[in-house]
Structure formats: structure tokens, C-alpha cells
């Protein structure tokens, strides 16, 4: 399958890990773009709330049809009701609706962020939202040496592409600042035989929370704007 599908399946498999599967009820997909990961989330039957957030309102509106129930959803009922919210918002700005989130997903998002947004992101996710699990994917710059054009980034909107060392030091710095989290690394998409030394095409960081601090947050604003809220009934 193409790499984007491999990425969706890999992230779905991480969510289905027996160690936390039953604890993942509320999921936020940041930088959800064309809402393509939604159908993978919808099939996780332990999940009962999905919030998709993107900064581009036009992209969300053009793709809203993807969250409406299909005929098959009425034939094969879910064991529980699913609440869906589609929000225009910024991954770096806290929103009260995101509190209580169990898993945060950010597939191919961070490389699109300007430095100020990237710097504010950990604070929103690990201080305010505090999910049990946070999964980030991003291109592995080292893998680009296998492409014909090795000079440019993979996409014109990418602000950076990181080597494994750069990505890991970004992630480990987060666990230093938020010590109730640890991080593990993985990869998706191997190159041809003999190219193993450059690593996988996509790199993945999986943050896991180990304890719940009791710290009370002062009032959390609502920085996102609602585009759609609906319930998919069981
Ligand atoms: N996660 C998507 C997927 O797997 O199908 C792909 C993400 S796409 C490459 C990057 C998305 O991030 C774009 O839709 C863009 O609008 C969004 N984005 C950029 N900056 C953002 C920000 N600060 N907060 C939220 N979304 C942002």
C-alpha cells in the first residue's frame, strides 16, 4: 500500500495496543486536513469521542462529507454512540473542549509549523490536554537521499525535515520538560534492500503518560471554532 495508508494503519495499530486500547475513549486528530484518518478512528469501537482540528477551514468544509454516517454504519451498528466534533483551530492553542483527551494524533503536522507554533505546541499538548498517549509522525530527512531530488524538502510547505537525531532530541526535550511522559520511537516505510542505514521514510514518536498530576488548570479558553458537531448513533 502507499505510504500514507501505511501511516494510517500504523497509527491505528498503536492505538489498538492491548496496554491502553480500552483506555482510549476520546481522541483528538490535530492537522486532520482532509479528514482521511477519520475512518480509521471511527472503526475503533472503544473510542466514543473524536475531535478533528485543522487550521484550514476550507479544507475541513470541503471534506465534511467524510464524517457523515454511511449506509453501512446503519447496518453494522457501533457498540456505543460516537460524538464527533470538527473544529477550526491551532495545535498550539489550548481549548477547554480538549480536556480529558486520551490520545492526541498529529500525522505529518509538525513539519508544517513555524518555529513559534512548534515551540508552543508541547505546552498545549502536555500541559493542558495531557493525553495518556500522543503520537507524532514526520518525514525522516535521512531517507531523502534515496530520492532523485535530494536538495529540496518533500513538500513546498514543509518548514523543516528532521534527521532521526533531530526528531529524537525534540521529543526527548519534551519528556525532560514534562517528566510524567516517556517517549518511544518507531518508523514506517522501509526503503529498498541495502538502504537500511538511512532508516524508515516516516519517523514516529509515541509519548506515554505515566502518572496523573493533580494540578488544577486555571480557566482554559476556547480557542477553536466549531464547524460540525454530530453524534453517530449505535
Ligand atoms: N494529518 C493529515 C493526514 O494524515 O491526512 C495530513 C496533515 S497535512 C500534511 C498538514 C495539515 O496541518 C494541513 O491540513 C494544515 O492546514 C494543518 N496545519 C498547519 N498548521 C496548523 C496548526 N498550527 N494547527 C493545526 N493544523 C495546522
Amino acid at each position: 500500500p502507499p505510504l500514507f495508508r501505511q501511516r494510517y494503519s500504523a497509527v491505528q495499530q498503536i492505538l489498538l495496543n492491548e496496554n491502553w486500547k480500552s483506555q482510549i475513549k476520546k481522541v483528538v486528530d490535530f492537522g486532520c486536513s482532509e479528514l482521511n484518518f477519520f475512518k480509521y478512528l471511527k472503526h475503533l469501537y472503544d473510542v466514543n469521542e473524536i475531535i478533528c482540528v485543522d487550521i484550514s477551514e476550507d479544507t475541513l468544509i470541503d471534506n465534511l462529507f467524510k464524517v457523515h454516517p454511511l449506509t453501512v454504519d446503519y447496518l453494522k451498528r457501533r457498540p456505543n454512540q460516537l460524538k464527533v466534533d470538527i473544529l477550526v483551530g491551532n495545535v498550539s492553542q489550548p481549548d477547554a473542549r480538549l480536556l480529558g483527551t486520551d490520545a492526541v494524533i498529529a500525522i505529518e503536522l509538525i513539519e508544517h509549523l513555524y518555529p513559534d507554533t512548534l515551540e508552543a505546541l508541547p505546552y498545549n499538548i502536555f500541559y493542558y490536554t495531557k493525553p495518556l498517549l500522543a503520537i507524532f509522525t514526520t518525514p525522516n530527512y535521512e531517507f531523502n537521499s534515496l530520492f532523485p531530488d535530494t536538495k529540496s524538502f518533500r513538500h513546498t510547505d514543509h518548514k523543516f525535515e528532521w534527521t532521526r537525531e533531530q526528531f529524537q532530541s525534540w521529543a526527548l526535550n519534551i519528556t525532560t520538560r514534562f517528566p510524567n511522559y516517556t517517549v518511544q520511537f518507531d518508523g514506517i516505510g522501509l526503503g529498498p534492500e541495502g538502504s537500511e542505514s538511512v532508516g524508515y521514510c516516516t519517523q514516529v514518536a509515541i509519548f506515554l503518560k505515566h502518572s496523573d498530576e493533580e494540578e488544577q488548570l486555571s480557566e482554559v479558553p476556547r480557542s477553536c471554532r466549531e464547524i460540525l458537531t454530530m453524534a453517530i448513533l449505535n
Side-chain angles (χ1 to χ4, degrees):
L3 185 68
F4 74 94
R5 290 231 176 82
Q6 291 183 46
R7 262 194 309 256
Y8 294 148
S9 309
V11 174
Q12 191 190 42
Q13 285 309 310
I14 297 168
L15 293 168
L16 284 171
N17 185 304
E18 284 303 329
N19 290 330
W20 47 69
K21 173 175 172 282
S22 64
Q23 297 173 65
I24 308 286
K25 307 230 173 278
K26 176 169 175 177
V27 180
V28 175
D29 185 12
F30 277 121
C32 59
S33 194
E34 296 171 4
L35 295 165
N36 289 330
F37 189 55
F38 178 78
K39 74 170 183 232
Y40 292 76
L41 288 172
K42 184 171 113 174
H43 289 115
L44 304 179
Y45 285 158
D46 287 299
V47 172
N48 57 27
E49 187 168 359
I50 300 174
I51 305 181
C52 297
V53 183
D54 200 282
I55 207 160
S56 166
E57 177 166 3
D58 289 348
T59 309
L60 292 175
I61 288 178
D62 288 349
N63 290 280
L64 274 185
F65 68 93
K66 295 181 188 164
V67 306
H68 288 288
L70 309 167
T71 308
V72 56
D73 294 323
Y74 295 102
L75 297 171
K76 191 169 180 292
R77 299 284 180 132
R78 297 175 55 86
N80 52 13
Q81 184 172 313
L82 176 66
K83 181 171 183 278
V84 181
D85 279 295
I86 310 294
L87 306 175
V88 182
N90 189 327
V91 65
S92 297
Q93 286 176 4
D95 188 291
R97 281 168 285 216
L98 307 187
L99 302 183
T101 294
D102 304 301
V104 160
I105 317 291
I107 299 173
E108 307 297 278
L109 169 64
I110 58 172
E111 67 277 9
H112 292 268
L113 305 179
Y114 286 106
D116 55 336
T117 316
L118 184 68
E119 198 178 311
L121 173 150
Y123 203 58
N124 182 30
I125 294 182
F126 300 101
Y127 178 79
Y128 281 105
T129 314
K130 292 207 266 290
L132 172 66
L133 200 66
I135 306 168
F136 293 85
T137 78
T138 195
N140 167 17
Y141 181 72
E142 293 162 84
F143 194 93
N144 294 2
S145 64
L146 302 175
F147 297 144
D149 174 5
T150 53
K151 288 207 179 58
S152 27
F153 289 149
R154 297 183 199 179
H155 192 283
T156 47
D157 188 53
H158 286 179
K159 310 300 185 291
F160 58 84
E161 286 175 1
W162 279 338
T163 63
R164 283 167 289 179
E165 196 187 332
Q166 287 172 312
F167 182 51
Q168 292 179 14
S169 87
W170 172 77
L172 289 166
N173 176 268
I174 291 175
T175 61
T176 309
R177 292 167 57 201
F178 302 95
N180 50 339
Y181 283 89
T182 54
V183 65
Q184 287 177 34
F185 301 99
D186 205 342
I188 304 164
L190 265 185
E193 229 182 289
S195 68
E196 291 79 6
S197 66
V198 299
Y200 289 88
C201 190
T202 300
Q203 34 188 352
V204 187
I206 305 159
F207 292 88
L208 185 63
K209 185 171 70 177
H210 292 277
S211 61
D212 260 317
E213 312 151 14
E214 288 308 309
E215 190 180 353
Q216 278 295 312
L217 296 172
S218 50
E219 207 175 313
V220 181
R222 284 180 162 237
S223 61
C224 298
R225 197 156 38 81
E226 241 162 75
I227 296 279
L228 173 80
T229 174
M230 67 179 294
I232 297 180
L233 301 177
N234 50 339

